[in-house]
Amino acid sequence: MEKILFTVIEGDNNNINNNTGNITTPRLYEQEAIKCFTDWREKAGDLKDIKIICYAPSKNLPSEDTINALKKLNVTYIENYLEESERMEIGFFLVPLVGYKLEQEYPNDLLIHIDLDMNIIKPIPNKYFDNKIYIGQYDNISALSQRRNVDWENPLDTGFTISPSSSNFYKVFWEEFSDLYFNKKYKYEESWLCQNAENGVYFLEEYVADKLYNLEILPINPIQFYQVGEGYVEVSDITDDELNKVLFWHEHLFVEEGNWKRTKIRQKIEFFKRLKKLQKDI
């Protein structure tokens, strides 16, 4: 069973999020991709040389300079227009669709998905490669800034997913999502309406993952504290044991950084200072 890392990409200035106006602060997805894959090739341990797929499923393509930079990092860039992309309001809705396509293309392998804004810090432990489905989950503090889940557990974070293709995770994920989204069934689903209606469809993709987990449609195993950084729990609010679990630093690259830049630098300094001390004490 081969391990394959996959991500989804669109252009910096031309992407679903910008074009629909659903993301108000434009992101530099292409630069995020180069940083993401550079770190992976350097810091992912035994996985640093695995196959990396960067999939462009819409008409909003990255620049030739970015494509050439990906090739230099030995990243397999796939440009494959999928018509469903034309009907999507949020860019990350593309992930379950691309995952479904790759499950079919690599039926005997294991798929690792991360978002482009995730920079790996240390290797992913082998315990997560036991032929089960793993998905990130917001901790109690990070969950406060996410969607409400009423009687369900903390929301899942589909930015980090590990699944064997044989589990059909993305098949089930995509079919449930596309049925709710394209057929507008989410408008009548009580478990969605009572917790997410005021946010439009923004959280719909991760809501579907929540549904698959909490209703036990798929045997999903959640992972907490796998990531810190922008939008996640403050480094000062986690224990040393929790900090030791962290695998990724989460950081958006914006066209205009704004007030977050100072906080980001402070958080990063604090995190790596504590991490260095912990490693020294071992």
Side-chain angles (χ1 to χ4, degrees):
M1 178 186 291
E2 183 181 1
K3 298 180 182 72
I4 299 170
L5 176 70
F6 86 89
T7 65
V8 177
I9 194 169
E10 292 191 285
D12 280 347
N13 301 313
N14 187 26
N15 55 73
I16 292 172
N17 290 336
N18 283 5
N19 297 345
T20 59
N22 280 304
I23 302 295
T24 56
T25 308
R27 294 249 304 278
L28 300 173
Y29 298 108
E30 297 177 48
Q31 286 87 331
E32 287 181 3
I34 293 169
K35 171 65 173 167
C36 174
F37 301 140
T38 299
D39 283 356
W40 186 277
R41 290 299 189 211
E42 294 175 356
K43 302 173 185 176
D46 291 342
L47 301 182
K48 69 183 180 65
D49 295 320
I50 65 171
K51 185 182 189 71
I52 298 177
I53 294 175
C54 188
Y55 204 111
S58 75
K59 293 180 179 178
N60 309 321
L61 303 176
S63 68
E64 285 300 318
D65 285 346
T66 296
I67 293 170
N68 290 332
L70 299 183
K71 290 177 180 176
K72 288 180 181 178
L73 289 166
N74 195 26
V75 172
T76 301
Y77 171 72
I78 297 176
E79 202 171 286
N80 182 31
Y81 169 68
L82 303 174
E83 66 86 16
E84 293 94 337
S85 65
E86 295 292 327
R87 297 184 283 149
M88 292 186 178
E89 300 165 69
I90 305 290
F92 41 77
F93 288 1
L94 294 166
V95 173
L97 173 59
V98 170
Y100 177 38
K101 297 295 182 183
L102 293 177
E103 269 186 353
Q104 296 173 80
E105 189 170 347
Y106 300 95
N108 301 313
D109 296 317
L110 183 139
L111 300 177
I112 305 167
H113 167 68
I114 62 174
D115 286 341
L116 296 175
D117 52 24
M118 293 169 58
N119 304 315
I120 195 165
I121 295 167
K122 62 183 180 182
I124 300 171
N126 286 328
K127 66 181 180 179
Y128 296 129
F129 303 123
D130 58 357
N131 221 32
K132 296 178 182 177
I133 303 168
Y134 290 93
I135 302 181
Q137 184 181 46
Y138 294 101
D139 58 85
N140 290 340
I141 296 176
S142 300
L144 296 175
S145 63
Q146 296 297 319
R147 60 205 179 278
R148 301 189 311 278
N149 261 354
V150 192
D151 295 328
W152 288 356
E153 288 190 25
N154 287 2
L156 295 185
D157 179 4
T158 54
F160 182 40
T161 304
I162 300 173
S163 61
S165 293
S166 59
S167 69
N168 292 317
F169 166 69
Y170 284 106
K171 178 179 186 295
V172 177
F173 191 7
W174 170 248
E175 288 176 349
E176 179 67 22
F177 170 80
S178 59
D179 187 41
L180 283 176
Y181 183 56
F182 294 127
N183 296 321
K184 308 295 183 185
K185 290 185 179 180
Y186 65 87
K187 293 185 176 182
Y188 310 100
E189 185 151 326
E190 184 59 33
S191 55
W192 163 263
L193 294 174
C194 69
Q195 55 186 295
N196 295 294
E198 70 273 18
N199 297 302
V201 295
Y202 185 84
F203 290 122
L204 188 62
E205 172 251 355
E206 289 194 323
Y207 161 79
V208 171
D210 292 337
K211 182 178 178 180
L212 298 180
Y213 171 54
N214 285 277
L215 300 187
E216 300 183 346
I217 297 171
L218 286 174
I220 292 170
N221 299 275
I223 307 173
Q224 291 192 9
F225 298 106
Y226 74 90
Q227 179 165 246
V228 293
E230 184 179 349
Y232 289 80
V233 62
E234 292 266 341
V235 173
S236 58
D237 289 331
I238 61 176
T239 67
D240 286 349
D241 285 342
E242 292 164 347
L243 187 138
N244 263 326
K245 296 177 183 178
V246 174
L247 305 172
F248 297 91
W249 176 263
H250 179 258
E251 183 174 343
H252 294 160
L253 298 181
F254 295 109
V255 175
E256 297 181 8
E257 283 289 344
N259 296 328
W260 168 250
K261 188 172 184 179
R262 228 176 253 179
T263 303
K264 185 161 52 178
I265 293 171
R266 176 182 58 78
Q267 282 275 302
K268 190 177 283 190
I269 291 172
E270 183 180 357
F271 172 73
F272 284 102
K273 186 176 180 180
R274 279 185 63 189
L275 188 65
K276 185 177 181 180
K277 183 179 185 300
L278 283 174
Q279 292 170 340
K280 186 177 179 181
D281 290 344
I282 293 176

PDB file of all heavy atoms in Angstrom, residues 175-187:
ATOM      1  N   GLU A 175     -20.635  11.715  -2.025  1.00  0.00           N
ATOM      2  CA  GLU A 175     -22.036  11.439  -2.361  1.00  0.00           C
ATOM      3  C   GLU A 175     -22.988  12.118  -1.384  1.00  0.00           C
ATOM      4  O   GLU A 175     -24.016  12.677  -1.787  1.00  0.00           O
ATOM      5  CB  GLU A 175     -22.280   9.925  -2.396  1.00  0.00           C
ATOM      6  CG  GLU A 175     -21.634   9.259  -3.609  1.00  0.00           C
ATOM      7  CD  GLU A 175     -21.797   7.743  -3.606  1.00  0.00           C
ATOM      8  OE1 GLU A 175     -22.235   7.186  -2.561  1.00  0.00           O
ATOM      9  OE2 GLU A 175     -21.472   7.110  -4.638  1.00  0.00           O
ATOM     10  N   GLU A 176     -22.647  12.103  -0.099  1.00  0.00           N
ATOM     11  CA  GLU A 176     -23.492  12.757   0.902  1.00  0.00           C
ATOM     12  C   GLU A 176     -23.451  14.274   0.719  1.00  0.00           C
ATOM     13  O   GLU A 176     -24.490  14.948   0.765  1.00  0.00           O
ATOM     14  CB  GLU A 176     -23.031  12.385   2.306  1.00  0.00           C
ATOM     15  CG  GLU A 176     -23.821  13.030   3.432  1.00  0.00           C
ATOM     16  CD  GLU A 176     -25.269  12.550   3.539  1.00  0.00           C
ATOM     17  OE1 GLU A 176     -25.557  11.446   3.037  1.00  0.00           O
ATOM     18  OE2 GLU A 176     -26.093  13.289   4.111  1.00  0.00           O
ATOM     19  N   PHE A 177     -22.248  14.799   0.501  1.00  0.00           N
ATOM     20  CA  PHE A 177     -22.116  16.245   0.317  1.00  0.00           C
ATOM     21  C   PHE A 177     -22.853  16.714  -0.939  1.00  0.00           C
ATOM     22  O   PHE A 177     -23.611  17.695  -0.900  1.00  0.00           O
ATOM     23  CB  PHE A 177     -20.649  16.649   0.216  1.00  0.00           C
ATOM     24  CG  PHE A 177     -20.460  18.079  -0.200  1.00  0.00           C
ATOM     25  CD1 PHE A 177     -20.597  19.104   0.724  1.00  0.00           C
ATOM     26  CD2 PHE A 177     -20.186  18.400  -1.532  1.00  0.00           C
ATOM     27  CE1 PHE A 177     -20.467  20.437   0.331  1.00  0.00           C
ATOM     28  CE2 PHE A 177     -20.058  19.721  -1.926  1.00  0.00           C
ATOM     29  CZ  PHE A 177     -20.198  20.737  -0.992  1.00  0.00           C
ATOM     30  N   SER A 178     -22.610  16.059  -2.058  1.00  0.00           N
ATOM     31  CA  SER A 178     -23.202  16.518  -3.315  1.00  0.00           C
ATOM     32  C   SER A 178     -24.720  16.416  -3.289  1.00  0.00           C
ATOM     33  O   SER A 178     -25.422  17.256  -3.873  1.00  0.00           O
ATOM     34  CB  SER A 178     -22.631  15.734  -4.506  1.00  0.00           C
ATOM     35  OG  SER A 178     -22.860  14.351  -4.374  1.00  0.00           O
ATOM     36  N   ASP A 179     -25.249  15.406  -2.597  1.00  0.00           N
ATOM     37  CA  ASP A 179     -26.699  15.279  -2.486  1.00  0.00           C
ATOM     38  C   ASP A 179     -27.281  16.429  -1.673  1.00  0.00           C
ATOM     39  O   ASP A 179     -28.281  17.044  -2.064  1.00  0.00           O
ATOM     40  CB  ASP A 179     -27.057  13.940  -1.845  1.00  0.00           C
ATOM     41  CG  ASP A 179     -28.555  13.669  -1.847  1.00  0.00           C
ATOM     42  OD1 ASP A 179     -29.221  13.969  -2.856  1.00  0.00           O
ATOM     43  OD2 ASP A 179     -29.062  13.170  -0.836  1.00  0.00           O
ATOM     44  N   LEU A 180     -26.652  16.742  -0.562  1.00  0.00           N
ATOM     45  CA  LEU A 180     -27.123  17.854   0.267  1.00  0.00           C
ATOM     46  C   LEU A 180     -26.972  19.195  -0.439  1.00  0.00           C
ATOM     47  O   LEU A 180     -27.870  20.044  -0.391  1.00  0.00           O
ATOM     48  CB  LEU A 180     -26.337  17.900   1.581  1.00  0.00           C
ATOM     49  CG  LEU A 180     -26.695  16.904   2.669  1.00  0.00           C
ATOM     50  CD1 LEU A 180     -25.740  17.055   3.846  1.00  0.00           C
ATOM     51  CD2 LEU A 180     -28.126  17.087   3.140  1.00  0.00           C
ATOM     52  N   TYR A 181     -25.841  19.374  -1.114  1.00  0.00           N
ATOM     53  CA  TYR A 181     -25.505  20.682  -1.683  1.00  0.00           C
ATOM     54  C   TYR A 181     -26.219  20.947  -3.007  1.00  0.00           C
ATOM     55  O   TYR A 181     -26.971  21.920  -3.136  1.00  0.00           O
ATOM     56  CB  TYR A 181     -23.995  20.776  -1.872  1.00  0.00           C
ATOM     57  CG  TYR A 181     -23.515  22.104  -2.398  1.00  0.00           C
ATOM     58  CD1 TYR A 181     -23.815  23.290  -1.733  1.00  0.00           C
ATOM     59  CD2 TYR A 181     -22.738  22.172  -3.547  1.00  0.00           C
ATOM     60  CE1 TYR A 181     -23.368  24.511  -2.205  1.00  0.00           C
ATOM     61  CE2 TYR A 181     -22.282  23.384  -4.031  1.00  0.00           C
ATOM     62  CZ  TYR A 181     -22.600  24.556  -3.365  1.00  0.00           C
ATOM     63  OH  TYR A 181     -22.156  25.762  -3.849  1.00  0.00           O
ATOM     64  N   PHE A 182     -25.992  20.091  -3.980  1.00  0.00           N
ATOM     65  CA  PHE A 182     -26.544  20.349  -5.312  1.00  0.00           C
ATOM     66  C   PHE A 182     -28.060  20.187  -5.369  1.00  0.00           C
ATOM     67  O   PHE A 182     -28.731  20.854  -6.163  1.00  0.00           O
ATOM     68  CB  PHE A 182     -25.877  19.440  -6.349  1.00  0.00           C
ATOM     69  CG  PHE A 182     -24.414  19.731  -6.553  1.00  0.00           C
ATOM     70  CD1 PHE A 182     -23.466  18.728  -6.442  1.00  0.00           C
ATOM     71  CD2 PHE A 182     -23.973  21.020  -6.830  1.00  0.00           C
ATOM     72  CE1 PHE A 182     -22.119  18.992  -6.630  1.00  0.00           C
ATOM     73  CE2 PHE A 182     -22.623  21.308  -7.007  1.00  0.00           C
ATOM     74  CZ  PHE A 182     -21.695  20.285  -6.909  1.00  0.00           C
ATOM     75  N   ASN A 183     -28.598  19.333  -4.527  1.00  0.00           N
ATOM     76  CA  ASN A 183     -30.057  19.145  -4.487  1.00  0.00           C
ATOM     77  C   ASN A 183     -30.728  20.010  -3.426  1.00  0.00           C
ATOM     78  O   ASN A 183     -31.926  19.871  -3.169  1.00  0.00           O
ATOM     79  CB  ASN A 183     -30.394  17.671  -4.252  1.00  0.00           C
ATOM     80  CG  ASN A 183     -29.934  16.786  -5.397  1.00  0.00           C
ATOM     81  OD1 ASN A 183     -30.030  17.172  -6.562  1.00  0.00           O
ATOM     82  ND2 ASN A 183     -29.431  15.594  -5.076  1.00  0.00           N
ATOM     83  N   LYS A 184     -29.926  20.868  -2.788  1.00  0.00           N
ATOM     84  CA  LYS A 184     -30.429  21.828  -1.796  1.00  0.00           C
ATOM     85  C   LYS A 184     -31.133  21.159  -0.601  1.00  0.00           C
ATOM     86  O   LYS A 184     -31.945  21.780   0.080  1.00  0.00           O
ATOM     87  CB  LYS A 184     -31.404  22.828  -2.444  1.00  0.00           C
ATOM     88  CG  LYS A 184     -30.872  23.527  -3.679  1.00  0.00           C
ATOM     89  CD  LYS A 184     -29.690  24.421  -3.357  1.00  0.00           C
ATOM     90  CE  LYS A 184     -29.219  25.174  -4.596  1.00  0.00           C
ATOM     91  NZ  LYS A 184     -27.996  25.972  -4.355  1.00  0.00           N
ATOM     92  N   LYS A 185     -30.781  19.919  -0.323  1.00  0.00           N
ATOM     93  CA  LYS A 185     -31.439  19.214   0.779  1.00  0.00           C
ATOM     94  C   LYS A 185     -31.023  19.762   2.141  1.00  0.00           C
ATOM     95  O   LYS A 185     -31.722  19.538   3.130  1.00  0.00           O
ATOM     96  CB  LYS A 185     -31.146  17.714   0.688  1.00  0.00           C
ATOM     97  CG  LYS A 185     -31.829  17.016  -0.479  1.00  0.00           C
ATOM     98  CD  LYS A 185     -31.603  15.516  -0.445  1.00  0.00           C
ATOM     99  CE  LYS A 185     -32.320  14.821  -1.596  1.00  0.00           C
ATOM    100  NZ  LYS A 185     -32.100  13.349  -1.572  1.00  0.00           N
ATOM    101  N   TYR A 186     -29.873  20.452   2.190  1.00  0.00           N
ATOM    102  CA  TYR A 186     -29.436  21.029   3.468  1.00  0.00           C
ATOM    103  C   TYR A 186     -30.466  22.030   4.004  1.00  0.00           C
ATOM    104  O   TYR A 186     -30.537  22.268   5.214  1.00  0.00           O
ATOM    105  CB  TYR A 186     -28.069  21.698   3.320  1.00  0.00           C
ATOM    106  CG  TYR A 186     -28.050  22.902   2.407  1.00  0.00           C
ATOM    107  CD1 TYR A 186     -28.353  24.174   2.878  1.00  0.00           C
ATOM    108  CD2 TYR A 186     -27.726  22.760   1.057  1.00  0.00           C
ATOM    109  CE1 TYR A 186     -28.342  25.277   2.037  1.00  0.00           C
ATOM    110  CE2 TYR A 186     -27.713  23.853   0.206  1.00  0.00           C
ATOM    111  CZ  TYR A 186     -28.020  25.108   0.696  1.00  0.00           C
ATOM    112  OH  TYR A 186     -28.010  26.194  -0.141  1.00  0.00           O
ATOM    113  N   LYS A 187     -31.263  22.600   3.140  1.00  0.00           N
ATOM    114  CA  LYS A 187     -32.272  23.571   3.557  1.00  0.00           C
ATOM    115  C   LYS A 187     -33.375  22.947   4.407  1.00  0.00           C
ATOM    116  O   LYS A 187     -34.135  23.660   5.061  1.00  0.00           O
ATOM    117  CB  LYS A 187     -32.898  24.236   2.331  1.00  0.00           C
ATOM    118  CG  LYS A 187     -31.933  25.117   1.550  1.00  0.00           C
ATOM    119  CD  LYS A 187     -32.649  25.832   0.413  1.00  0.00           C
ATOM    120  CE  LYS A 187     -31.705  26.786  -0.313  1.00  0.00           C
ATOM    121  NZ  LYS A 187     -32.411  27.528  -1.402  1.00  0.00           N
TER     122      LYS A 187
END
